[in-house]
Amino acid sequence: MFENIKIIKKFDPAAKSYLEIILCYPGLHALWLHKFAHLLYRLRLPIVPRLFNYLSRFLTGIDIHPGAKIAPGVFIDHGAGVVIGETAIVGAGSLIFQGVTLGGTGKETGKRHPTIGKNVVIGAGAKILGNIVVEDHVRIGAGSVVMRNVPAGCTVVGIPGKVVKAGDGTSDSVEQMLEHNQMPDPIAKVFSVLLEKVETQQQLINKLYEKQQLLERTTTPQPEDDLFLQEFIHGDGI
C-alpha cells in the first residue's frame, strides 16, 4: 500500500503532498480496491470480487480484473480507460498511463494476458495483447500495439510495435522514464533515409545530364559535314 504512494511521489511532479496523493489519485484508489478484490478472488468467492471490480471501475474509470496480479509499487497515472485482464501480471515499479490495455487476443483459456516486468513504462493508449512477456526496464511508446515478446531494456513504438532501441537491461533514471518526447520515431527515420537517397540520385542524374549535353555538343556534325553526308546519300559523291 505504502509502496504505491511512494512511487507516485517519485514519478509525479504534480503531487504536492502525501495527503493529496491519498485523497485525489484514482489510480491509487483502483489499486487499493483491486488488492481487496484480488484477495476475495483467491478465496474463490463467487460474484463478490467482480462487484468490487465494478465499483472500482465506476469510481475511478479503471477496470482491473480481480484475477490480475499487480506487484506493490505500481503507478497508474490519471488512469482513465485503463483495462487490465484476468491473467495479466504487472511487476513492481511499472508506470502505466491512461488508456492502456493489457488484454487478450480472443477466447483462449488459461494464461491469455501479458506479463509485464519491473520498471516498465507503458505510454498513453498503448495496447499490449496476448500471452506475451514484456521484460524489465522496457519503454513502450504512446499508442503502440505490442503483440510479441519484448527483451529487457528495449524501446518499442508503432503499430505493430517494433523495437527501435535495444537496451542492456539496466534501469533508467526517473527523468529518462518520463521523457516520452525522447522516444525514437522510426517512421521519421525511414523518410529521412529515403529523402537522402532521392537527393543523392538527383545529383547523379544532374551530372549524367551535364555529361550528355557536353557529349552532344562535341559530336554534333558541322554544316559542311551535313552537306557532305547528304550528297553522299543521294549519289552525288559517286
Side-chain angles (χ1 to χ4, degrees), residues 207-235:
K207 290 180 179 179
L208 288 173
Y209 179 75
E210 291 174 358
K211 289 181 179 180
Q212 182 184 11
Q213 292 293 99
L214 179 61
L215 184 62
E216 288 179 353
R217 286 197 297 268
T218 56
T219 59
T220 300
Q222 299 299 321
E224 55 273 16
D225 296 331
D226 290 342
L227 180 60
F228 175 79
L229 289 174
Q230 290 295 331
E231 290 177 349
F232 185 83
I233 290 171
H234 290 88

PDB file of all heavy atoms in Angstrom, residues 207-235:
ATOM      1  N   LYS A 207      24.410  15.198 -62.962  1.00  0.00           N
ATOM      2  CA  LYS A 207      25.754  15.038 -63.514  1.00  0.00           C
ATOM      3  C   LYS A 207      25.719  14.296 -64.849  1.00  0.00           C
ATOM      4  O   LYS A 207      26.420  14.674 -65.803  1.00  0.00           O
ATOM      5  CB  LYS A 207      26.642  14.293 -62.512  1.00  0.00           C
ATOM      6  CG  LYS A 207      26.989  15.104 -61.276  1.00  0.00           C
ATOM      7  CD  LYS A 207      27.872  14.302 -60.330  1.00  0.00           C
ATOM      8  CE  LYS A 207      28.230  15.128 -59.098  1.00  0.00           C
ATOM      9  NZ  LYS A 207      29.080  14.354 -58.156  1.00  0.00           N
ATOM     10  N   LEU A 208      24.896  13.235 -64.916  1.00  0.00           N
ATOM     11  CA  LEU A 208      24.772  12.492 -66.175  1.00  0.00           C
ATOM     12  C   LEU A 208      24.193  13.375 -67.282  1.00  0.00           C
ATOM     13  O   LEU A 208      24.614  13.300 -68.438  1.00  0.00           O
ATOM     14  CB  LEU A 208      23.882  11.261 -65.967  1.00  0.00           C
ATOM     15  CG  LEU A 208      24.484  10.120 -65.145  1.00  0.00           C
ATOM     16  CD1 LEU A 208      23.440   9.042 -64.874  1.00  0.00           C
ATOM     17  CD2 LEU A 208      25.702   9.526 -65.858  1.00  0.00           C
ATOM     18  N   TYR A 209      23.243  14.212 -66.932  1.00  0.00           N
ATOM     19  CA  TYR A 209      22.635  15.115 -67.915  1.00  0.00           C
ATOM     20  C   TYR A 209      23.666  16.116 -68.446  1.00  0.00           C
ATOM     21  O   TYR A 209      23.730  16.387 -69.648  1.00  0.00           O
ATOM     22  CB  TYR A 209      21.456  15.844 -67.289  1.00  0.00           C
ATOM     23  CG  TYR A 209      20.778  16.822 -68.217  1.00  0.00           C
ATOM     24  CD1 TYR A 209      19.939  16.369 -69.244  1.00  0.00           C
ATOM     25  CD2 TYR A 209      20.980  18.194 -68.070  1.00  0.00           C
ATOM     26  CE1 TYR A 209      19.335  17.263 -70.096  1.00  0.00           C
ATOM     27  CE2 TYR A 209      20.368  19.090 -68.918  1.00  0.00           C
ATOM     28  CZ  TYR A 209      19.539  18.633 -69.932  1.00  0.00           C
ATOM     29  OH  TYR A 209      18.940  19.514 -70.787  1.00  0.00           O
ATOM     30  N   GLU A 210      24.492  16.645 -67.531  1.00  0.00           N
ATOM     31  CA  GLU A 210      25.525  17.596 -67.955  1.00  0.00           C
ATOM     32  C   GLU A 210      26.525  16.915 -68.889  1.00  0.00           C
ATOM     33  O   GLU A 210      26.951  17.505 -69.904  1.00  0.00           O
ATOM     34  CB  GLU A 210      26.237  18.167 -66.725  1.00  0.00           C
ATOM     35  CG  GLU A 210      25.360  19.082 -65.884  1.00  0.00           C
ATOM     36  CD  GLU A 210      26.052  19.511 -64.604  1.00  0.00           C
ATOM     37  OE1 GLU A 210      27.199  19.053 -64.382  1.00  0.00           O
ATOM     38  OE2 GLU A 210      25.458  20.283 -63.837  1.00  0.00           O
ATOM     39  N   LYS A 211      26.915  15.671 -68.556  1.00  0.00           N
ATOM     40  CA  LYS A 211      27.843  14.939 -69.427  1.00  0.00           C
ATOM     41  C   LYS A 211      27.222  14.668 -70.795  1.00  0.00           C
ATOM     42  O   LYS A 211      27.886  14.774 -71.831  1.00  0.00           O
ATOM     43  CB  LYS A 211      28.256  13.628 -68.767  1.00  0.00           C
ATOM     44  CG  LYS A 211      29.170  13.801 -67.564  1.00  0.00           C
ATOM     45  CD  LYS A 211      29.560  12.455 -66.988  1.00  0.00           C
ATOM     46  CE  LYS A 211      30.505  12.632 -65.801  1.00  0.00           C
ATOM     47  NZ  LYS A 211      30.902  11.321 -65.220  1.00  0.00           N
ATOM     48  N   GLN A 212      25.946  14.334 -70.829  1.00  0.00           N
ATOM     49  CA  GLN A 212      25.269  14.082 -72.096  1.00  0.00           C
ATOM     50  C   GLN A 212      25.223  15.345 -72.955  1.00  0.00           C
ATOM     51  O   GLN A 212      25.457  15.303 -74.164  1.00  0.00           O
ATOM     52  CB  GLN A 212      23.849  13.574 -71.839  1.00  0.00           C
ATOM     53  CG  GLN A 212      23.088  13.233 -73.122  1.00  0.00           C
ATOM     54  CD  GLN A 212      21.657  12.827 -72.843  1.00  0.00           C
ATOM     55  OE1 GLN A 212      21.171  12.991 -71.734  1.00  0.00           O
ATOM     56  NE2 GLN A 212      20.992  12.309 -73.853  1.00  0.00           N
ATOM     57  N   GLN A 213      24.924  16.470 -72.319  1.00  0.00           N
ATOM     58  CA  GLN A 213      24.878  17.724 -73.057  1.00  0.00           C
ATOM     59  C   GLN A 213      26.247  18.066 -73.647  1.00  0.00           C
ATOM     60  O   GLN A 213      26.358  18.512 -74.792  1.00  0.00           O
ATOM     61  CB  GLN A 213      24.416  18.860 -72.136  1.00  0.00           C
ATOM     62  CG  GLN A 213      22.965  18.768 -71.691  1.00  0.00           C
ATOM     63  CD  GLN A 213      22.011  18.959 -72.850  1.00  0.00           C
ATOM     64  OE1 GLN A 213      21.495  17.986 -73.396  1.00  0.00           O
ATOM     65  NE2 GLN A 213      21.788  20.186 -73.257  1.00  0.00           N
ATOM     66  N   LEU A 214      27.302  17.843 -72.840  1.00  0.00           N
ATOM     67  CA  LEU A 214      28.656  18.117 -73.318  1.00  0.00           C
ATOM     68  C   LEU A 214      29.015  17.190 -74.477  1.00  0.00           C
ATOM     69  O   LEU A 214      29.614  17.628 -75.477  1.00  0.00           O
ATOM     70  CB  LEU A 214      29.647  17.943 -72.160  1.00  0.00           C
ATOM     71  CG  LEU A 214      31.119  18.171 -72.486  1.00  0.00           C
ATOM     72  CD1 LEU A 214      31.340  19.611 -72.968  1.00  0.00           C
ATOM     73  CD2 LEU A 214      31.993  17.882 -71.269  1.00  0.00           C
ATOM     74  N   LEU A 215      28.639  15.923 -74.366  1.00  0.00           N
ATOM     75  CA  LEU A 215      28.924  14.964 -75.432  1.00  0.00           C
ATOM     76  C   LEU A 215      28.185  15.324 -76.717  1.00  0.00           C
ATOM     77  O   LEU A 215      28.744  15.224 -77.813  1.00  0.00           O
ATOM     78  CB  LEU A 215      28.537  13.562 -74.970  1.00  0.00           C
ATOM     79  CG  LEU A 215      28.853  12.411 -75.921  1.00  0.00           C
ATOM     80  CD1 LEU A 215      30.356  12.312 -76.163  1.00  0.00           C
ATOM     81  CD2 LEU A 215      28.309  11.100 -75.377  1.00  0.00           C
ATOM     82  N   GLU A 216      26.952  15.746 -76.601  1.00  0.00           N
ATOM     83  CA  GLU A 216      26.184  16.138 -77.790  1.00  0.00           C
ATOM     84  C   GLU A 216      26.789  17.343 -78.475  1.00  0.00           C
ATOM     85  O   GLU A 216      26.813  17.437 -79.702  1.00  0.00           O
ATOM     86  CB  GLU A 216      24.734  16.421 -77.395  1.00  0.00           C
ATOM     87  CG  GLU A 216      23.941  15.167 -77.044  1.00  0.00           C
ATOM     88  CD  GLU A 216      22.519  15.495 -76.639  1.00  0.00           C
ATOM     89  OE1 GLU A 216      22.203  16.705 -76.515  1.00  0.00           O
ATOM     90  OE2 GLU A 216      21.732  14.558 -76.442  1.00  0.00           O
ATOM     91  N   ARG A 217      27.299  18.286 -77.681  1.00  0.00           N
ATOM     92  CA  ARG A 217      27.910  19.471 -78.280  1.00  0.00           C
ATOM     93  C   ARG A 217      29.199  19.131 -79.019  1.00  0.00           C
ATOM     94  O   ARG A 217      29.516  19.729 -80.048  1.00  0.00           O
ATOM     95  CB  ARG A 217      28.195  20.518 -77.190  1.00  0.00           C
ATOM     96  CG  ARG A 217      26.955  21.235 -76.678  1.00  0.00           C
ATOM     97  CD  ARG A 217      27.326  22.501 -75.941  1.00  0.00           C
ATOM     98  NE  ARG A 217      28.127  22.207 -74.755  1.00  0.00           N
ATOM     99  CZ  ARG A 217      27.614  22.018 -73.540  1.00  0.00           C
ATOM    100  NH1 ARG A 217      26.298  22.078 -73.360  1.00  0.00           N
ATOM    101  NH2 ARG A 217      28.382  21.759 -72.505  1.00  0.00           N
ATOM    102  N   THR A 218      29.960  18.164 -78.498  1.00  0.00           N
ATOM    103  CA  THR A 218      31.243  17.820 -79.131  1.00  0.00           C
ATOM    104  C   THR A 218      31.073  16.918 -80.342  1.00  0.00           C
ATOM    105  O   THR A 218      31.959  16.845 -81.191  1.00  0.00           O
ATOM    106  CB  THR A 218      32.172  17.123 -78.113  1.00  0.00           C
ATOM    107  OG1 THR A 218      31.501  15.981 -77.576  1.00  0.00           O
ATOM    108  CG2 THR A 218      32.528  18.078 -76.989  1.00  0.00           C
ATOM    109  N   THR A 219      29.952  16.202 -80.439  1.00  0.00           N
ATOM    110  CA  THR A 219      29.763  15.266 -81.553  1.00  0.00           C
ATOM    111  C   THR A 219      28.728  15.737 -82.574  1.00  0.00           C
ATOM    112  O   THR A 219      28.432  15.027 -83.524  1.00  0.00           O
ATOM    113  CB  THR A 219      29.313  13.893 -81.008  1.00  0.00           C
ATOM    114  OG1 THR A 219      28.089  14.052 -80.271  1.00  0.00           O
ATOM    115  CG2 THR A 219      30.384  13.296 -80.114  1.00  0.00           C
ATOM    116  N   THR A 220      28.198  16.923 -82.425  1.00  0.00           N
ATOM    117  CA  THR A 220      27.209  17.432 -83.381  1.00  0.00           C
ATOM    118  C   THR A 220      27.878  17.732 -84.722  1.00  0.00           C
ATOM    119  O   THR A 220      28.877  18.453 -84.773  1.00  0.00           O
ATOM    120  CB  THR A 220      26.558  18.717 -82.842  1.00  0.00           C
ATOM    121  OG1 THR A 220      25.911  18.408 -81.604  1.00  0.00           O
ATOM    122  CG2 THR A 220      25.538  19.260 -83.831  1.00  0.00           C
ATOM    123  N   PRO A 221      27.383  17.177 -85.829  1.00  0.00           N
ATOM    124  CA  PRO A 221      28.012  17.424 -87.144  1.00  0.00           C
ATOM    125  C   PRO A 221      27.972  18.898 -87.523  1.00  0.00           C
ATOM    126  O   PRO A 221      27.001  19.602 -87.223  1.00  0.00           O
ATOM    127  CB  PRO A 221      27.152  16.580 -88.096  1.00  0.00           C
ATOM    128  CG  PRO A 221      26.438  15.600 -87.220  1.00  0.00           C
ATOM    129  CD  PRO A 221      26.244  16.279 -85.916  1.00  0.00           C
ATOM    130  N   GLN A 222      29.076  19.369 -88.156  1.00  0.00           N
ATOM    131  CA  GLN A 222      29.142  20.745 -88.653  1.00  0.00           C
ATOM    132  C   GLN A 222      28.336  20.850 -89.945  1.00  0.00           C
ATOM    133  O   GLN A 222      28.048  19.840 -90.599  1.00  0.00           O
ATOM    134  CB  GLN A 222      30.611  21.127 -88.898  1.00  0.00           C
ATOM    135  CG  GLN A 222      31.473  21.065 -87.638  1.00  0.00           C
ATOM    136  CD  GLN A 222      30.982  22.016 -86.573  1.00  0.00           C
ATOM    137  OE1 GLN A 222      30.570  23.138 -86.874  1.00  0.00           O
ATOM    138  NE2 GLN A 222      31.008  21.551 -85.326  1.00  0.00           N
ATOM    139  N   PRO A 223      27.953  22.059 -90.349  1.00  0.00           N
ATOM    140  CA  PRO A 223      27.142  22.239 -91.565  1.00  0.00           C
ATOM    141  C   PRO A 223      27.770  21.613 -92.794  1.00  0.00           C
ATOM    142  O   PRO A 223      27.075  20.979 -93.592  1.00  0.00           O
ATOM    143  CB  PRO A 223      27.054  23.760 -91.688  1.00  0.00           C
ATOM    144  CG  PRO A 223      27.188  24.247 -90.279  1.00  0.00           C
ATOM    145  CD  PRO A 223      28.139  23.300 -89.622  1.00  0.00           C
ATOM    146  N   GLU A 224      29.113  21.762 -92.973  1.00  0.00           N
ATOM    147  CA  GLU A 224      29.744  21.181 -94.157  1.00  0.00           C
ATOM    148  C   GLU A 224      29.715  19.663 -94.114  1.00  0.00           C
ATOM    149  O   GLU A 224      29.607  18.990 -95.133  1.00  0.00           O
ATOM    150  CB  GLU A 224      31.192  21.672 -94.312  1.00  0.00           C
ATOM    151  CG  GLU A 224      32.097  21.434 -93.101  1.00  0.00           C
ATOM    152  CD  GLU A 224      32.025  22.552 -92.079  1.00  0.00           C
ATOM    153  OE1 GLU A 224      31.068  23.355 -92.139  1.00  0.00           O
ATOM    154  OE2 GLU A 224      32.926  22.634 -91.232  1.00  0.00           O
ATOM    155  N   ASP A 225      29.792  19.134 -92.902  1.00  0.00           N
ATOM    156  CA  ASP A 225      29.687  17.684 -92.768  1.00  0.00           C
ATOM    157  C   ASP A 225      28.296  17.202 -93.148  1.00  0.00           C
ATOM    158  O   ASP A 225      28.132  16.165 -93.796  1.00  0.00           O
ATOM    159  CB  ASP A 225      30.021  17.254 -91.333  1.00  0.00           C
ATOM    160  CG  ASP A 225      31.465  17.566 -90.964  1.00  0.00           C
ATOM    161  OD1 ASP A 225      32.301  17.582 -91.879  1.00  0.00           O
ATOM    162  OD2 ASP A 225      31.733  17.738 -89.752  1.00  0.00           O
ATOM    163  N   ASP A 226      27.278  17.968 -92.749  1.00  0.00           N
ATOM    164  CA  ASP A 226      25.909  17.620 -93.117  1.00  0.00           C
ATOM    165  C   ASP A 226      25.738  17.624 -94.636  1.00  0.00           C
ATOM    166  O   ASP A 226      25.091  16.727 -95.202  1.00  0.00           O
ATOM    167  CB  ASP A 226      24.924  18.607 -92.484  1.00  0.00           C
ATOM    168  CG  ASP A 226      24.846  18.420 -90.969  1.00  0.00           C
ATOM    169  OD1 ASP A 226      25.261  17.348 -90.488  1.00  0.00           O
ATOM    170  OD2 ASP A 226      24.359  19.343 -90.282  1.00  0.00           O
ATOM    171  N   LEU A 227      26.320  18.640 -95.293  1.00  0.00           N
ATOM    172  CA  LEU A 227      26.202  18.738 -96.752  1.00  0.00           C
ATOM    173  C   LEU A 227      26.889  17.562 -97.426  1.00  0.00           C
ATOM    174  O   LEU A 227      26.359  16.969 -98.377  1.00  0.00           O
ATOM    175  CB  LEU A 227      26.820  20.056 -97.238  1.00  0.00           C
ATOM    176  CG  LEU A 227      26.783  20.299 -98.736  1.00  0.00           C
ATOM    177  CD1 LEU A 227      25.342  20.317 -99.247  1.00  0.00           C
ATOM    178  CD2 LEU A 227      27.496  21.610 -99.081  1.00  0.00           C
ATOM    179  N   PHE A 228      28.058  17.185 -96.936  1.00  0.00           N
ATOM    180  CA  PHE A 228      28.786  16.050 -97.497  1.00  0.00           C
ATOM    181  C   PHE A 228      27.979  14.757 -97.355  1.00  0.00           C
ATOM    182  O   PHE A 228      27.874  13.956 -98.283  1.00  0.00           O
ATOM    183  CB  PHE A 228      30.145  15.926 -96.816  1.00  0.00           C
ATOM    184  CG  PHE A 228      30.913  14.713 -97.237  1.00  0.00           C
ATOM    185  CD1 PHE A 228      31.596  14.699 -98.464  1.00  0.00           C
ATOM    186  CD2 PHE A 228      30.952  13.571 -96.445  1.00  0.00           C
ATOM    187  CE1 PHE A 228      32.294  13.580 -98.852  1.00  0.00           C
ATOM    188  CE2 PHE A 228      31.649  12.458 -96.844  1.00  0.00           C
ATOM    189  CZ  PHE A 228      32.333  12.461 -98.054  1.00  0.00           C
ATOM    190  N   LEU A 229      27.358  14.552 -96.183  1.00  0.00           N
ATOM    191  CA  LEU A 229      26.561  13.354 -95.959  1.00  0.00           C
ATOM    192  C   LEU A 229      25.350  13.310 -96.878  1.00  0.00           C
ATOM    193  O   LEU A 229      25.012  12.263 -97.442  1.00  0.00           O
ATOM    194  CB  LEU A 229      26.103  13.292 -94.490  1.00  0.00           C
ATOM    195  CG  LEU A 229      27.198  12.996 -93.454  1.00  0.00           C
ATOM    196  CD1 LEU A 229      26.640  13.122 -92.035  1.00  0.00           C
ATOM    197  CD2 LEU A 229      27.782  11.611 -93.677  1.00  0.00           C
ATOM    198  N   GLN A 230      24.702  14.458 -97.055  1.00  0.00           N
ATOM    199  CA  GLN A 230      23.534  14.489 -97.919  1.00  0.00           C
ATOM    200  C   GLN A 230      23.918  14.179 -99.371  1.00  0.00           C
ATOM    201  O   GLN A 230      23.213  13.427-100.067  1.00  0.00           O
ATOM    202  CB  GLN A 230      22.862  15.870 -97.828  1.00  0.00           C
ATOM    203  CG  GLN A 230      22.191  16.133 -96.477  1.00  0.00           C
ATOM    204  CD  GLN A 230      21.028  15.201 -96.226  1.00  0.00           C
ATOM    205  OE1 GLN A 230      20.379  14.743 -97.178  1.00  0.00           O
ATOM    206  NE2 GLN A 230      20.782  14.880 -94.960  1.00  0.00           N
ATOM    207  N   GLU A 231      25.039  14.736 -99.831  1.00  0.00           N
ATOM    208  CA  GLU A 231      25.486  14.481-101.215  1.00  0.00           C
ATOM    209  C   GLU A 231      25.837  13.018-101.413  1.00  0.00           C
ATOM    210  O   GLU A 231      25.529  12.406-102.447  1.00  0.00           O
ATOM    211  CB  GLU A 231      26.699  15.350-101.539  1.00  0.00           C
ATOM    212  CG  GLU A 231      26.355  16.823-101.655  1.00  0.00           C
ATOM    213  CD  GLU A 231      27.576  17.674-101.907  1.00  0.00           C
ATOM    214  OE1 GLU A 231      28.702  17.111-101.772  1.00  0.00           O
ATOM    215  OE2 GLU A 231      27.446  18.865-102.213  1.00  0.00           O
ATOM    216  N   PHE A 232      26.471  12.441-100.366  1.00  0.00           N
ATOM    217  CA  PHE A 232      26.843  11.034-100.468  1.00  0.00           C
ATOM    218  C   PHE A 232      25.639  10.120-100.519  1.00  0.00           C
ATOM    219  O   PHE A 232      25.565   9.182-101.307  1.00  0.00           O
ATOM    220  CB  PHE A 232      27.756  10.650 -99.293  1.00  0.00           C
ATOM    221  CG  PHE A 232      28.297   9.248 -99.373  1.00  0.00           C
ATOM    222  CD1 PHE A 232      29.413   8.956-100.132  1.00  0.00           C
ATOM    223  CD2 PHE A 232      27.641   8.223 -98.712  1.00  0.00           C
ATOM    224  CE1 PHE A 232      29.889   7.660-100.226  1.00  0.00           C
ATOM    225  CE2 PHE A 232      28.109   6.930 -98.808  1.00  0.00           C
ATOM    226  CZ  PHE A 232      29.253   6.633 -99.554  1.00  0.00           C
ATOM    227  N   ILE A 233      24.633  10.443 -99.678  1.00  0.00           N
ATOM    228  CA  ILE A 233      23.424   9.611 -99.624  1.00  0.00           C
ATOM    229  C   ILE A 233      22.681   9.670-100.954  1.00  0.00           C
ATOM    230  O   ILE A 233      22.145   8.653-101.434  1.00  0.00           O
ATOM    231  CB  ILE A 233      22.511  10.092 -98.464  1.00  0.00           C
ATOM    232  CG1 ILE A 233      23.163   9.758 -97.113  1.00  0.00           C
ATOM    233  CG2 ILE A 233      21.145   9.431 -98.563  1.00  0.00           C
ATOM    234  CD1 ILE A 233      22.477  10.351 -95.937  1.00  0.00           C
ATOM    235  N   HIS A 234      22.650  10.842-101.603  1.00  0.00           N
ATOM    236  CA  HIS A 234      21.902  10.988-102.852  1.00  0.00           C
ATOM    237  C   HIS A 234      22.746  10.631-104.078  1.00  0.00           C
ATOM    238  O   HIS A 234      22.317  10.844-105.207  1.00  0.00           O
ATOM    239  CB  HIS A 234      21.381  12.413-102.992  1.00  0.00           C
ATOM    240  CG  HIS A 234      20.286  12.721-101.997  1.00  0.00           C
ATOM    241  ND1 HIS A 234      20.549  13.203-100.735  1.00  0.00           N
ATOM    242  CD2 HIS A 234      18.951  12.567-102.074  1.00  0.00           C
ATOM    243  CE1 HIS A 234      19.421  13.383-100.094  1.00  0.00           C
ATOM    244  NE2 HIS A 234      18.400  12.997-100.906  1.00  0.00           N
ATOM    245  N   GLY A 235      23.929  10.112-103.870  1.00  0.00           N
ATOM    246  CA  GLY A 235      24.748   9.657-105.000  1.00  0.00           C
ATOM    247  C   GLY A 235      25.584  10.704-105.649  1.00  0.00           C
ATOM    248  O   GLY A 235      26.258  10.404-106.648  1.00  0.00           O
TER     249      GLY A 235
END
